[in-house]
C-alpha cells in the first residue's frame, strides 16, 4: 500500500471484519472501515450495539407530521419540540418549546400497537433517539404531557440555540413587534410616524 492512499481504519483482510456488527447502513461498493463497526467483542446487534455507552435509547411514537413525513432515518439528527396545552380547569396558555437539540436518531420504523383488547392492532411510526439520562426524563415528560414535533437538522449544523419558547400571545404579537419597531425607528428620524 502507498502511504495515504487508503483511508484510516481500513481492513486488509475480510476475516478481520467477519462477524462484526455494522453501526451504519452501507451502500453497495462502499468501504467498510473500523469507524462503521461496533467494538470488537460486541456480540449482539440491534439498538444496544449502536448506542453510546454513556447514553440511552428511547423511542417515541410519531405520525407523518411529527416524523417529518418519513424523511427521518437512522444517523440523522433532530431537535425535539413540545407543545403543552393548559391543564383543564386551570388558567394558562398553550406553550411550544424546543426541549432537546441535535439528538441522534438510532432507528426509524413501524411497530404494531393495540389500544384496547378488542381493537385491531394498527401500525404506528416509532423514532428511537439517543439521549442522556436528563434528556430521557425531559422526553418522557414531554411525550406524556404534550404533543411532540421533530425538526430535521442539516448534518453540518451543530449550533445550539436556546429559546424562550413561545405562547399564543407572543406568537400573535411577534410580527406586530417588528412592524412597531420599524415605525418607531422611522418616527425617530423626523418625529413623524409614517
Amino acid at each position: 500500500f502507498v502511504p495515504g492512499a487508503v483511508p484510516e481504519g481500513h481492513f486488509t483482510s475480510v476475516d478481520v471484519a467477519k462477524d462484526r456488527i455494522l453501526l451504519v447502513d452501507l451502500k453497495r461498493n462502499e468501504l467498510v472501515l473500523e469507524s462503521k463497526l461496533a467494538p470488537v467483542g460486541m456480540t449482539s446487534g440491534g439498538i444496544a450495539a449502536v448506542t453510546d455507552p454513556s447514553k440511552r435509547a428511547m423511542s417515541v411514537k410519531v405520525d407523518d407530521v411529527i416524523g417529518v413525513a418519513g424523511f427521518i432515518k437512522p444517523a440523522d439528527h433532530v431537535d425535539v419540540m413540545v407543545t403543552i396545552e393548559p391543564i383543564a380547569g386551570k388558567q394558562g396558555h398553550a406553550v411550544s418549546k424546543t426541549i432537546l437539540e441535535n439528538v441522534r436518531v438510532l432507528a426509524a420504523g413501524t411497530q404494531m400497537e393495540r389500544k384496547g383488547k378488542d381493537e385491531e392492532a394498527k401500525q404506528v411510526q416509532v423514532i428511537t433517539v439517543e439521549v442522556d439520562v436528563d434528556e430521557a426524563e425531559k422526553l418522557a415528560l414531554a411525550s406524556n404531557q404534550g404533543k411532540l414535533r421533530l425538526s430535521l437538522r442539516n448534518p453540518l449544523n451543530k449550533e445550539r440555540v436556546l429559546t424562550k419558547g413561545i405562547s399564543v400571545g407572543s406568537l400573535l404579537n411577534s410580527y406586530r413587534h417588528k412592524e412597531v419597531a420599524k415605525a418607531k425607528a422611522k418616527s425617530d428620524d423626523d418625529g413623524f410616524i409614517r
Side-chain angles (χ1 to χ4, degrees):
F1 290 112
V2 178
V6 292
E8 186 177 328
H10 73 281
F11 294 99
T12 56
S13 165
V14 174
D15 292 334
V16 179
K18 187 177 177 188
D19 297 327
R20 298 278 302 275
I21 296 169
L22 284 170
L23 294 177
V24 296
D25 292 335
L26 293 178
K27 294 178 177 50
R28 177 176 283 178
N29 297 325
E30 184 176 348
L31 290 175
V32 177
L33 302 174
E34 181 68 37
S35 62
K36 296 179 181 181
L37 301 175
V40 174
M42 180 75 68
T43 57
S44 63
I47 296 297
V50 298
T51 304
D52 182 308
S54 66
K55 296 199 175 186
R56 310 290 187 270
M58 190 166 180
S59 297
V60 292
K61 284 190 298 186
V62 299
D63 59 25
D64 276 346
V65 173
I66 296 167
V68 193
F71 289 108
I72 295 176
K73 61 188 184 327
D76 283 341
H77 284 86
V78 296
D79 291 344
V80 181
M81 287 175 268
V82 64
T83 299
I84 298 180
E85 299 288 337
I87 298 170
K90 303 244 180 179
Q91 279 195 311
H93 302 283
V95 176
S96 286
K97 174 86 171 104
T98 299
I99 58 165
L100 301 175
E101 283 189 289
N102 206 18
V103 176
R104 184 166 74 113
V105 175
L106 298 173
T110 59
Q111 70 179 32
M112 298 303 285
E113 177 184 70
R114 185 184 310 253
K115 293 209 179 199
K117 72 176 189 182
D118 295 331
E119 276 191 51
E120 193 173 313
K122 294 185 215 171
Q123 278 196 339
V124 293
Q125 288 288 115
V126 176
I127 303 279
T128 302
V129 294
E130 182 180 66
V131 291
D132 64 29
V133 176
D134 290 334
E135 292 170 331
E137 291 173 349
K138 287 180 185 178
L139 188 55
L141 182 62
S143 65
N144 284 316
Q145 296 296 313
K147 294 177 185 171
L148 295 178
R149 289 277 192 268
L150 303 178
S151 58
L152 184 60
R153 293 179 73 108
N154 181 299
L156 301 177
N157 182 347
K158 306 292 185 213
E159 181 183 6
R160 295 195 61 99
V161 179
L162 296 176
T163 66
K164 296 178 197 175
I166 192 159
S167 66
V168 174
S170 57
L171 173 66
L172 296 176
N173 286 324
S174 62
Y175 180 72
R176 194 178 82 193
H177 287 304
K178 290 177 185 174
E179 289 302 308
V180 169
K182 284 181 188 175
K184 182 171 176 5
K186 285 181 183 178
S187 72
D188 288 344
D189 289 343
D190 58 12
F192 294 103
I193 297 179
R194 299 178 190 182

